[in-house]
Each structure stands twice: as structure tokens, then as C-alpha cells.
């Protein structure tokens, strides 16, 4: 039974560059000479994937790579215009894109000094910053490369070397975009090295191994690109009648395969050497980045201190340099205070008006004078008055006692209400306390009112209403069959007004 753990030979190598934030990438870091030989090869042997006419001439690898970038749907108009305007910038950007393509530059690197995010690191590349163009950052560049596609190619993108070779053998040339081919070769770095080179050389070593000649590594890379994009015909020593096309980047001494040249220690020191101008430019770019960081840090510190002062004591004292900004902040605070004062005044005014209206409606609708005579008072619903038996007029009857008790309570409550209104601006709220006028009773001559009109008789108190319901309601009847009189509706209205007054009181407080 085989183990699921991959063997050391199949584990993916860490090939991306690792540098501290702000540290420049030298020619040795990016193996600039390999890039230079790749993009300055003059052999026009690649098929143009975006021809302008029916018969398009062959183009070089440099033109193929740059043209594919320009046709990427994720390439911005500013980038396209800059690359068309400056060939030098276009070549520098294409070299950097190739490093991203093979995995030497990971997506945590950025190459413009104004970068603010903390998840990426800034790295100047003096050898690829010969112009003032913006090299952007690795994630954007990789997005541009991933979105590139062939014209009128709607088939699934090939993801293995076998898939790409099958397209070539079927006659599809080019078989895929050059960016996708390089992504596939980098993902299958070890198998590619075993098939085309040796057991000790992988595809990614063409961009890492400084012990190998830069020129031979560049030609080996171009050989692979032609082999998988244009023709897969390889040399067969036993077939002397083979007249098929040969790879133009193969070594004539070895047939149709590339040759890799090893360097001595002395020869290695002569490759990928930074010029004095590039060293000066690196120091300048690092200094520029430090100045930008100081400026951004000062702005952030000033912003945080201003916010802190606003939260505690308004605008605090600062140095003279921040005086114009402090004045602007003071003006904003003043406007905010004025708006808050106006809003508070409007709320208080509207609340006072609402309370005044409620009091006026209560006084107008519910306040009636208390009769001074001993005339008989009714505690029954006017609608049911005709059906009720005559009440006992005996002074010791419970109903008579109840009426006298209610009348005395009304007089004392009315007196207390007048005293309270005189000494207090706002009445004290109680959820179930009736208004003083609720203790008024109905004289006999004013018993009958029309259904739906305004309440013409004084409303019952809670005690009166409870007594009325007990003495006049049949408990065996369904509640839907009971006729709701005006006193019951008035009781509901009173409860609703109490809720509104409570809400208004809470809102003003």
C-alpha cells in the first residue's frame, strides 16, 4: 500500500524571490541577462495570434509576448497607451511580466513607490525602470496574463503539456497563448526537465541557475516555446529521410535539441552585473519610498490625533503647521452644533404643541360640570336604558351608596387636578388613572344620545364602567353579540390618548 505523502522529488520547489520591504531587486536577483537574450532574439519564427490580415508574417518572441499583453481584456487603457508610446517601457514591463509568469515574482510584491497596502512589499527594479512608467504590482500583472486568450478560441484552455502537444499535432498553431504555455511549463517544471533536458535540470532552473550560461538558458526557453506552440517534431537519429521542420533554437551540433553551457566562477561574475547608474537609481527610489512613507505616516498620525481631539475636547492644540486644517475642523464642528441645536429646538416645540393639543382635546371633550342637585343619575348604557328594570332609590341601596361615593371622589379629584395644573406645567402620567372629568355621571334628562355622535354625557370612571358591565352584561352571550356603547368607545379613546401622552413624554425627555 503506497503512502499518500509525496516524495521529496515531487514536492514543489519554492522559487519565488524573498526580499525585505524596500529592498531593490538587482540584475542578479532577476537574472537580467536571461531576460535580455530572450527579448532581443531576432528570429521571427512565431505565428502571430492576432493577425491584421489573411497572411500575417512571423514575429519574434518579444513581439509575440508584448502583443499578447496588449490584447488581454484586463490590460488597462493607460497601460496600453504607455506601452505603445514607449517601446522601452513596453519591453521592461514584458520582462517583469515574464518573471511573474514563471513564478519568480510572487503576488506580494509591488513596484510603484506610492503603494499603501500593508499586505504587499515595495521593491524597486532599477534595470527594468528605465522610464517613468508605472510597473504596477504582481497581482495585477498576473491577472492580465491569466485573462489572455487566442482569437476565436472557445475551447477549454489546455492545462497540461500533453494537451498542448495534442493541439499542435492536430494542426492548431499556435496551440495556446504564450502566457498559458509558460504557466503550464512552470507547473510541470520537473517533468519538463526530465523529458527535454536531464534529471538534474528543471524548467524553472532556466531562470534561477546562475552556474549555467544566460545565453544557453534563454535559447533553451525559446526552444521549449517553439516546440509547444509551433511544431513538436523532434530529431530522430535513425530516420535520415526526415525532412520535417527543425526547431530554429536547437544547437546545430546536437541536432534538434538545445544545449546547456556551464560557466566557471570567473565567467559567472561577468554576468548580471548592475551598472553604476542603476545603483544610483536604486538609492534614489529607496529614498523616494522612505519620503512617501514619512508623509503618509504624518498624515495618518495627524488624522488620528484630530479624531481623538474631536471625541474628547473638540479640536486640541497642535503645532502651527496644522492651523489651517484645525480652523476647517472648527468650522465643521460649529456647523454640527448649530444643526443639533436647531433640531433639538424643533423637537421641543413640536412636542409642546402636541401636548397642548392633547390637553385642549381632553378639556373640550371630557370636562362637564358636576350637577349640584340630588337628581337621579344613570349608570347604565343609554342604548339599554329602556330594557333595564327601575333602580332602587333607597339611600342604603348599594347603587345609591356607589353614586354618592363617586360624586365625592369627583369633587376631591377635580380640586386636586386644578391644584396640580396650576403648579405643574406637565401633568403626571399614570397608565390606568382616569382624568378628573371621568368621574362625572349622567343626569337623567341627558341619558339618551344618538349612536356615533360625540359623547354628550360625562364619561364613566373605571369603577362605574366595571359596575355597569357587571350589572348589564349577560355572561352567556357571545362577545360579538354585545352592543358596544359610546362609553366603551370613550374608554378605549382614553386609553389610546394616555399611550400617546406617554410616548410624547418619553420623546421629549
Amino acid at each position: 500500500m503506497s503512502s499518500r505523502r509525496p516524495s521529496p522529488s515531487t514536492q514543489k520547489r519554492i522559487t519565488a524571490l524573498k526580499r525585505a520591504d524596500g529592498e531593490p531587486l538587482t540584475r542578479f536577483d532577476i537574472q537580467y541577462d536571461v531576460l535580455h537574450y530572450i527579448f532581443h532574439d531576432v528570429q521571427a519564427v512565431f505565428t502571430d495570434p492576432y493577425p491584421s490580415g489573411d497572411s500575417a508574417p512571423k514575429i519574434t518572441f518579444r513581439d509575440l509576448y508584448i502583443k499578447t499583453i496588449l490584447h488581454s481584456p484586463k490590460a488597462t487603457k493607460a497601460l496600453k497607451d504607455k506601452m505603445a508610446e514607449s517601446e522601452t517601457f513596453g519591453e521592461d514591463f514584458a520582462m517583469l511580466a515574464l518573471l511573474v509568469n514563471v513564478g519568480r515574482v510572487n503576488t506580494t510584491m509591488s513596484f510603484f513607490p506610492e503603494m499603501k497596502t500593508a499586505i504587499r512589499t515595495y521593491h524597486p527594479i532599477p534595470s527594468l525602470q528605465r522610464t517613468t512608467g508605472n510597473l504596477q504590482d504582481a497581482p495585477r500583472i498576473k491577472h492580465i496574463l491569466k485573462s489572455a486568450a487566442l482569437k476565436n478560441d472557445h475551447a477549454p484552455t489546455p492545462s497540461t503539456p500533453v494537451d498542448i502537444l495534442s493541439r499542435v499535432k492536430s494542426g492548431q498553431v499556435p496551440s495556446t497563448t504564450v502566457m498559458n504555455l509558460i504557466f503550464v511549463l512552470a507547473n510541470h517544471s520537473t517533468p519538463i526537465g526530465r523529458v527535454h533536458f536531464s534529471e538534474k535540470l528543471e524548467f524553472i532552473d532556466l531562470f534561477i541557475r546562475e552556474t549555467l550560461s544566460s545565453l544557453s538558458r534563454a535559447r533553451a526557453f525559446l526552444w521549449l516555446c517553439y516546440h509547444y506552440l509551433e511544431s513538436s517534431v523532434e530529431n530522430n537519429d535513425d530516420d535520415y529521410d526526415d525532412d520535417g521542420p527543425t526547431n530554429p533554437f536547437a544547437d546545430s551540433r546536437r541536432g534538434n535539441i538545445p544545449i546547456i553551457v556551464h560557466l566557471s566562477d570567473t565567467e559567472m561574475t561577468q554576468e548580471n552585473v548592475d551598472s553604476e547608474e542603476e545603483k544610483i537609481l536604486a538609492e534614489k527610489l529607496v529614498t523616494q519610498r522612505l519620503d512617501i512613507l514619512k508623509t503618509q505616516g504624518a498624515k495618518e498620525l495627524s488624522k488620528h490625533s484630530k479624531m481623538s481631539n474631536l471625541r474628547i475636547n473638540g479640536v486640541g492644540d497642535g503645532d502651527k503647521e496644522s492651523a489651517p486644517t484645525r480652523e476647517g475642523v472648527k468650522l465643521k464642528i460649529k456647523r454640527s452644533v448649530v444643526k443639533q441645536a436647531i433640531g433639538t429646538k424643533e423637537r421641543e416645540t413640536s412636542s409642546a404643541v402636541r401636548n397642548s393639543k392633547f390637553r385642549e382635546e381632553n378639556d373640550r371633550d371630557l370636562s362637564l360640570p358636576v350637577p349640584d342637585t340630588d337628581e337621579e343619575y344613570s349608570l347604565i348604557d343609554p342604548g339599554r336604558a329602556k330594557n333595564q328594570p327601575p333602580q332602587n332609590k333607597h339611600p342604603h341601596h348599594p347603587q345609591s351608596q356607589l353614586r354618592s361615593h363617586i360624586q365625592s371622589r369627583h369633587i376631591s379629584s377635580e380640586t386636586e387636578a386644578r391644584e396640580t395644573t396650576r403648579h405643574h406645567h406637565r401633568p403626571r402620567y399614570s397608565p390606568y388613572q382616569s382624568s378628573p372629568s371621568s368621574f362625572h355621571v349622567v343626569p337623567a334628562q341627558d341619558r339618551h344620545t344618538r349612536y356615533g355622535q360625540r359623547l354628550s354625557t360625562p364619561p364613566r370612571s373605571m369603577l362605574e364602567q366595571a359596575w355597569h358591565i357587571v350589572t348589564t352584561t349577560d355572561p352567556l352571550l357571545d362577545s360579538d353579540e354585545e352592543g358596544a356603547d359610546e362609553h366603551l368607545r370613550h374608554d378605549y379613546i382614553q386609553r389610546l390618548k394616555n399611550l400617546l401622552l406617554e410616548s410624547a413624554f418619553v420623546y421629549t425627555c
Side-chain angles (χ1 to χ4, degrees), residues 36 46 51 87 105 119 126 283 322 406 413 415 484:
H36 175 80
F46 293 95
E87 293 185 359
V105 172
I119 62 175
E283 296 178 358
S322 60
I406 291 172
S413 301
T415 304

Side-chain angles (χ1 to χ4, degrees), residues 273-428:
V273 179
D274 294 302
S275 63
E276 292 298 328
E277 292 80 6
E278 292 172 357
K279 294 178 181 178
I280 296 174
L281 178 60
E283 296 178 358
K284 179 181 177 181
L285 293 175
V286 171
T287 303
Q288 180 184 3
R289 173 62 177 173
L290 293 176
D291 294 340
I292 292 175
L293 289 177
K294 290 180 181 178
T295 304
Q296 293 177 354
K299 289 182 179 179
E300 291 295 328
L301 182 61
S302 176
K303 180 179 178 181
H304 288 302
S305 63
K306 289 176 183 177
M307 294 300 294
S308 178
N309 291 333
L310 288 176
R311 286 193 298 266
I312 300 175
N313 296 320
V315 180
D317 297 332
D319 53 6
K320 297 182 180 180
E321 295 180 358
S322 60
T325 305
R326 185 169 64 250
E327 295 297 330
V329 175
K330 285 184 177 180
L331 181 59
K332 291 182 180 179
I333 296 175
K334 187 174 181 180
R335 291 176 181 174
S336 176
V337 171
V338 171
K339 289 182 180 179
Q340 292 179 359
I342 293 174
T344 304
K345 187 65 176 177
E346 290 178 352
R347 289 194 297 270
E348 292 177 353
T349 304
S350 61
S351 176
V353 171
R354 286 195 299 270
N355 293 339
S356 177
K357 288 183 179 180
F358 288 144
R359 287 194 295 272
E360 290 177 1
E361 291 178 0
N362 290 337
D363 295 340
R364 183 177 64 254
D365 297 341
L366 306 178
S367 298
L368 288 175
V370 180
D372 295 332
T373 63
D374 293 335
E375 185 179 7
E376 181 184 3
Y377 294 95
S378 173
L379 294 177
I380 62 177
D381 182 21
R384 297 176 180 265
K386 297 180 181 181
N387 301 326
Q388 297 295 328
Q391 299 181 5
N392 189 2
K393 297 183 181 180
H394 195 277
H396 299 290
H397 194 273
Q399 292 187 6
S400 301
Q401 295 178 0
L402 177 62
R403 285 195 294 270
S404 62
H405 174 70
I406 291 172
Q407 186 174 2
S408 63
R409 284 187 58 189
H410 166 70
I411 295 172
S412 61
S413 301
E414 193 175 39
T415 304
E416 292 177 0
R418 284 196 297 268
E419 292 296 326
T420 303
T421 306
R422 185 178 64 179
H423 293 290
H424 300 281
H425 176 69
R426 183 181 297 141
R428 190 172 182 178

Side-chain angles (χ1 to χ4, degrees), residues 432-445:
Y432 299 104
Q433 180 181 354
S434 303
S435 63
S437 61
S438 63
F439 294 104
H440 286 235
V441 291
V442 184
Q445 65 271 20

Side-chain angles (χ1 to χ4, degrees), residues 204-217:
I204 194 61
D205 289 329
L206 300 179
F207 297 88
I208 297 178
R209 294 274 293 273
E210 68 276 3
T211 59
L212 305 178
S213 168
S214 298
L215 178 59
S216 64
R217 285 184 284 158

